[in-house]
Amino acid sequence: MRSNPRLTLLSDEDRGELSGVLTRVEAAQVALAAAEAEQARALAEAGAFAARLAEGSSAVVRDRDMALRGVAAEIAAAVRVSDRAVQRQIDSAYTLVNDFPATVHCLEKGLLTRAHVAVVEDIGRRIPTGLKGEFDQLAAEICLDETPGRARAELEILAERMHPRTLTERHEEAFRGRKIVRYTIGEGMSELRSAHSSVLIEGIFQRVTDQANAVIAAREPGSGDTRSLDEVRADLFADMLLTAIPTNDPTGDPVGPGGRPGGLGAIKAKVQVVIPVMALMGKSDVPCDLAGVGPIDAGTARLLAGNSYDTWERLLVHPITGLTMAVDTYQRTTAMDRFLKGRDKHCRWPGCRMPARKCEVDHNHDAALGGKTEICNLCCLCQRHHSMKQFTAWKVKQLDGGVIEWTSPTGRVYIDNPPGHGVHFTPEEDLPEDVWANWTNPGIEFRITSEHPDDPRIPPPF
Ligand SMILES: [Zn+2]
């Protein structure tokens, strides 16, 4: 096949068109980099402003944190991001601007991209304070000539050379940052990540892989088990974490004659699921609500429904609005508490999704100032936002129907509506007794909340 001359040798016209596009892309990149540098400087200034607000106070540490939270919340509400995320952005911008000025300067001039800066920040974090200036200069120079990926490799070597402490010492420190975190990734799925010593993570991965391979090898022909290696690994991982008992349990007596097992093994998972009765019976497949997390599919909810009738917590939900009307108990204080958790489902700070079971109950109009202990003056706030309401200039007022009105320190108003449920059903028949007792799952104790207003088991509202 003959080569296309238009591709092998560009005409003046083609060359002109292409360089026009190129110029635009370059200009956009320069503008973007400059804007990102400006955003970092503005966020860093917000951090410095918060620090100045708290200066001279007797409770400097608490006040500085509160001032920072207040400023972060003001920015977060205006740009519709969570205040925790903005606080992290402020922290990271403050560090970037103060520790890596040469890198920020190059970003501002459009000589580097945000991706280069992220590499410098990431690796520069490990450099001790006194050496950060030198690292910043050298890192910016390396980045000028390289893509972020290649620059990372060079910066890793640079950081290792500059570091005055051994890897052993640094690992000891990093090890104190071990943790697990979870993220929702949509479609009723979440991701669990663990940062731990590489040796242990490798051991966990190898063990679960070997076990999964053994499960697959032991399959009888025609067993119908078609799970992939990934699926079997994930199932084993969940199974072991939900049902196994830790070997190291400080709640029990030392192992030996007369030693009793500890209590860690008795601690079961507790999750609140809002499941319509018809979905529980398998007669509909509407999505159910994993409180504070998001929708899960009806099949999973049914599978997970525990067999313990006592642990089911049922909510009466308005068939049209989906707002919680009452809970199935007459006991006043507990009832109110459960009502609030059912109505709010999560912290009522604008944008916060901390599940209600981890929240505190706030008197919107302070009890000390005459605020009454009534549903229309109470709402769920997580510990972070509860203390922010107390210690910063944010003001709260509860309107009709559980609507919360927030006023920011600069006077902007944000409305937080109570969460509702989208889909509701009318019963076609009464619920047989065995429907309520027929699901078993030893690993998880599930609280099932019925959102059916005509559920015969639920006593009339108080
Ligand atoms: Zn919150």
Side-chain angles (χ1 to χ4, degrees):
M1 206 194 331
R2 286 187 50 219
S3 55
N4 181 342
R6 203 171 166 204
L7 295 184
T8 50
L9 186 64
L10 292 190
S11 69
D12 285 348
E13 198 181 322
D14 286 343
R15 198 177 295 123
E17 191 178 334
L18 180 57
S19 55
V21 172
L22 183 59
T23 307
R24 280 174 57 200
V25 172
E26 278 179 326
Q29 175 145 318
V30 168
L32 205 55
E36 274 163 343
E38 168 57 15
Q39 188 189 40
R41 288 198 197 284
L43 287 169
E45 185 48 41
F49 169 78
R52 285 198 299 276
L53 275 189
E55 262 169 27
S57 147
S58 55
V60 170
V61 176
R62 188 202 68 197
D63 284 6
R64 186 176 294 165
D65 187 46
M66 282 303 157
L68 182 57
R69 289 183 190 189
V71 169
E74 179 84 52
I75 295 172
V79 300
R80 275 163 291 118
V81 187
S82 90
D83 60 307
R84 285 183 180 84
V86 172
Q87 192 175 336
R88 281 196 298 275
Q89 286 172 11
I90 290 175
D91 280 341
S92 126
Y94 192 84
T95 308
L96 177 66
V97 168
N98 290 291
D99 290 350
F100 307 105
T103 304
V104 176
H105 175 78
C106 291
L107 180 69
E108 195 165 38
K109 297 292 166 209
L111 301 170
L112 297 180
T113 66
R114 192 72 184 84
H116 288 102
V117 176
V119 173
V120 175
E121 277 180 301
D122 189 30
I123 297 174
R125 196 176 299 135
R126 291 179 247 149
I127 301 287
T129 312
L131 297 172
K132 278 192 202 292
E134 190 188 340
F135 176 82
D136 174 40
Q137 288 284 345
L138 294 169
E141 266 175 50
I142 289 172
C143 285
L144 289 179
D145 300 325
E146 294 288 9
T147 60
R150 286 190 182 185
R152 175 177 285 279
E154 285 199 39
L155 293 189
E156 288 279 6
I157 296 168
L158 175 66
E160 196 57 43
R161 282 201 190 129
M162 285 183 68
H163 215 292
R165 296 166 66 215
T166 65
L167 181 58
T168 310
E169 293 171 315
R170 279 146 53 208
H171 177 72
E172 260 173 37
E173 191 182 322
F175 189 62
R176 286 196 287 277
R178 61 197 186 275
K179 62 182 173 184
I180 63 169
V181 283
R182 71 215 198 289
Y183 304 92
T184 52
I185 54 173
E187 322 300 349
M189 299 287 282
S190 289
E191 209 169 273
L192 182 73
R193 286 188 212 166
S194 169
H196 214 300
S197 160
S198 296
V199 177
L200 290 181
I201 295 289
E202 192 58 20
I204 291 168
F205 193 79
Q206 284 302 332
R207 180 173 190 227
V208 87
T209 300
D210 290 349
Q211 288 179 335
N213 280 323
V215 167
I216 289 169
R219 273 178 195 160
E220 300 284 347
S223 69
D225 182 358
T226 58
R227 291 174 300 164
S228 68
L229 180 61
D230 273 334
E231 290 174 274
V232 179
R233 266 201 292 241
D235 292 347
L236 286 168
F237 181 77
D239 189 13
M240 285 192 281
L241 281 176
L242 286 171
T243 59
I245 295 169
T247 40
N248 184 2
D249 186 345
T251 64
D253 294 335
V255 181
R260 76 185 154 79
L264 290 187
I267 298 176
K268 304 288 186 201
K270 274 204 184 78
V271 190
Q272 190 181 56
V273 177
V274 176
I275 175 170
V277 172
M278 300 310 273
L280 185 60
M281 292 175 72
K283 297 194 173 197
S284 112
D285 276 329
V286 293
C288 303
D289 183 20
L290 182 55
V293 178
I296 59 167
D297 66 288
T300 302
R302 281 195 291 272
L303 193 74
L304 295 174
N307 61 350
S308 171
Y309 183 69
D310 294 340
T311 64
W312 292 14
E313 189 169 88
R314 290 157 298 164
L315 303 181
L316 199 63
V317 179
H318 192 282
I320 310 296
T321 64
L323 294 178
T324 303
M325 307 296 291
V327 291
D328 57 346
T329 170
Y330 293 98
Q331 211 184 338
R332 194 69 189 182
T333 49
T334 319
M336 287 167 92
D337 198 43
R338 293 169 73 189
F339 179 98
L340 288 167
K341 287 189 164 42
R343 181 195 70 186
D344 291 352
K345 293 190 174 57
H346 50 65
C347 168
R348 297 298 304 280
W349 186 274
C352 182
R353 304 245 300 146
M354 186 64 77
R357 69 189 145 79
K358 293 188 184 170
C359 287
E360 297 163 356
V361 173
D362 176 59
H363 282 73
N364 302 142
H365 180 50
D366 216 326
L369 303 173
K372 291 195 175 141
T373 307
E374 291 174 345
I375 292 298
C376 59
N377 187 44
L378 300 171
C379 77
C380 295
L381 289 182
C382 67
Q383 201 261 328
R384 172 191 176 88
H385 292 133
H386 201 183
S387 55
M388 275 178 68
K389 186 212 145 196
Q390 210 177 338
F391 294 113
T392 72
W394 281 80
K395 295 278 168 281
V396 65
K397 197 161 102 188
Q398 186 165 155
L399 311 178
D400 286 346
V403 174
I404 307 288
E405 181 192 275
W406 291 93
T407 305
S408 82
T410 58
R412 297 197 194 184
V413 173
Y414 299 93
I415 295 295
D416 190 68
N417 290 304
H421 295 285
V423 188
H424 304 280
F425 280 76
T426 314
E428 283 155 21
E429 55 190 274
D430 203 2
L431 295 171
E433 191 65 33
D434 60 350
V435 167
W436 298 91
N438 264 354
W439 286 277
T440 55
N441 185 303
I444 302 185
E445 179 194 333
F446 257 67
R447 290 169 169 244
I448 300 302
T449 54
S450 157
E451 61 178 21
H452 206 287
D454 298 325
D455 180 350
R457 280 151 203 289
I458 300 177
F462 51 78

